[in-house]
Amino acid sequence: MSNPTIAIVGRPNVGKSTLFNRIAGERISIVEDTPGVTRDRIYAKGEWLGHEFSIIDTGGIDIVDEPFMEQIKQQAQIAIDEADVILLAASGKEGVTDADEAVAKILYRSNKPVILMVNKVDNPEMRNDIYEFYALGLGEPYPVSGSHGLGLGDVLDEAVKHFPTDNEEEEDETIKFSLIGRPNVGKSSLINAILGEDRVIVSDIEGTTRDAIDTKFVGESGQEFTMIDTAGMRKRGKVYENTEKYSVMRAMRAIDRSDVVLVVLNGEEGIREQDKRIAGYAHEAGRGVIIVVNKWDLVKKDTNTMKKFEEEIRDEFAYLDYAPIIFVSAMTKQRLNKIPAIIEEVSMNQNLRIPSSVLNDIIMDAVAINPTPTDKGKRLKIFYATQVAVKPPTFVVFVNEEELMHFSYARFLENQIRKAFEFEGTPIKIIPRRRK
Ligand code: GDP
Ligand code: GDP
């Protein structure tokens, strides 16, 4: 489940973001109707020869108020912390610069595999200019052109060779979850409080990256959980840890590795723009979602306070209408003991399989209550439906014409399925497909 990770580093203007977009390819495109999701991504998924990977553009993590050299050194450090393979980008147009040397030196000491890309080699004649890059001590330089998409196949071939081999198979029994949220909502406090509750901690396991630490524990039911390390949990006092882009990148990585994501809000401060963006990522990734309103001890309450807050959440996070909401306090430990059971429930729901016969009964009943829509005189016909995947539950509905399945009708079908089955906490996908 955890993808190998590639990070691109290098001084400004060598073409990192151009290369990032090339390598991420069309997979960088994102669902447009998820609110609050920004387009300038620094984290994306890519694929090469059947290998899926994640890719980070460290150049997009701006570390403000730091001198130029310090910034690129920190970006290199992020790459070392996060990536399995590092791509150092330089420019064939400008040749080797002091900044390239400084970054190369840091990467060289890291013992991580580094592939040196000499970018802006737009035509074959320029290939002769790359030999000076051997001086960086990182082995063979690969000539590439981000703007023309040249040479990247060779780089990716090489990168794939360094991907860690997967031996996480036996982890299927454990439910992986993470806590995400903006800084100071109380993620670390919650984690400590959850783990502090006389649970048996099985082990701290080394993650795929050097200092990512996941924690395993066994809940009261005997279920094993793995808590995924997230931003803000391991405060090491590094400057970049406070930048928004860095914490977003870390949150996205945690989401990718989780089955269930706890989106933590600060009950005292209410909902902020950044909360919506972070929750949007979890939804988009198709993970189970639980909304945790923390610091509930600090909120002045009357009988309606919780209901009002809940309504506000439903308003602001309309696309997360399936997510359960829980009001807690890391400080007083109020309701914290309920969290593992809710995670377990969501995990069950996202793994649920509905037999085709039952599913088709639900769909036919749905069509009877609310006839299928027509468009330009043509009516949507539904032939049958079948569940093709779990995590998240995904249903293919065979129809006469895919375009006739409007968003609102798919949504109606989803609601009917949800009425019949407890899919609380998990998104479900409905995919119309033309019957051949
Ligand atoms: P970053 O600061 O390292 O992320 O660099 P960008 O991706 O923003 O690119 C910096 C500039 O170099 C832009 O004007 C790009 O159009 C240009 N550039 C990027 N890749 C290439 C390339 O392969 N060839 C040429 N000639 N220009 C490129
Ligand atoms: P993180 O950045 O999301 O990991 O947040 P922290 O766990 O570091 O918490 C930020 C601050 O909020 C700290 O001063 C905590 O002591 C405080 N805090 C966290 N949870 C609660 C809570 O439930 N109630 C109160 N009163 N304070 C809390």
Side-chain angles (χ1 to χ4, degrees), residues 11-18 93 119-120 122 145-148:
R11 61 187 174 82
N13 270 322
V14 291
K16 292 183 297 300
S17 91
T18 309
K93 273 195 174 161
N119 191 35
K120 308 195 185 181
D122 300 336
S145 167
S147 30
H148 296 82

Side-chain angles (χ1 to χ4, degrees), residues 191-374:
I191 281 154
N192 290 331
I194 292 170
L195 292 178
E197 297 244 309
D198 64 7
R199 284 181 212 296
V200 189
I201 297 190
V202 183
S203 65
D204 284 344
I205 37 177
E206 287 285 325
T208 46
T209 57
R210 236 184 350 165
D211 44 8
I213 304 286
D214 298 340
T215 310
K216 280 192 177 189
F217 66 90
V218 176
E220 272 153 36
S221 64
Q223 171 67 49
E224 187 182 278
F225 297 90
T226 303
M227 183 142 66
I228 305 285
D229 173 58
T230 325
M233 282 167 52
R234 38 161 203 171
K235 296 194 173 95
R236 296 169 306 174
K238 293 194 177 162
V239 185
Y240 55 76
E241 287 180 352
N242 287 324
T243 68
E244 178 173 351
K245 284 232 166 127
Y246 177 80
S247 53
V248 166
M249 184 270 292
R250 291 281 310 175
M252 290 179 77
R253 287 173 59 66
I255 291 166
D256 270 349
R257 299 187 53 219
S258 303
D259 302 311
V260 179
V261 176
L262 277 55
V263 175
V264 184
L265 305 176
N266 182 336
E268 194 194 16
E269 288 177 0
I271 301 162
R272 299 275 168 87
E273 217 35 58
Q274 200 185 342
D275 294 323
K276 292 195 226 172
R277 211 168 305 146
I278 289 170
Y281 295 134
H283 169 70
E284 208 183 289
R287 300 299 189 257
V289 178
I290 298 167
I291 296 170
V292 179
V293 183
N294 187 37
K295 305 201 188 182
W296 200 238
D297 60 292
L298 293 179
V299 176
K300 277 215 197 79
K301 294 175 266 289
D302 59 41
T303 45
N304 264 327
T305 313
M306 198 181 274
K307 202 163 151 261
K308 269 204 205 126
F309 206 114
E310 214 170 305
E311 279 166 9
E312 205 181 316
I313 291 172
R314 294 302 178 209
D315 253 22
E316 300 280 0
F317 302 89
Y319 51 98
L320 284 181
D321 54 0
Y322 53 83
I325 303 171
I326 180 166
F327 295 83
V328 305
S329 164
M331 177 116 121
T332 67
K333 298 197 165 26
Q334 190 186 18
R335 287 188 213 94
L336 289 188
N337 59 346
K338 294 197 162 54
I339 288 180
I342 300 178
I343 295 173
E344 208 173 329
E345 173 110 25
V346 170
S347 163
M348 259 161 60
N349 291 340
Q350 65 188 169
N351 283 298
L352 208 63
R353 279 185 196 276
I354 307 186
S356 281
S357 58
V358 180
L359 177 66
N360 282 288
D361 283 349
I362 296 169
I363 301 283
M364 291 313 140
D365 286 351
V367 174
I369 316 173
N370 181 5
T372 52
T374 57

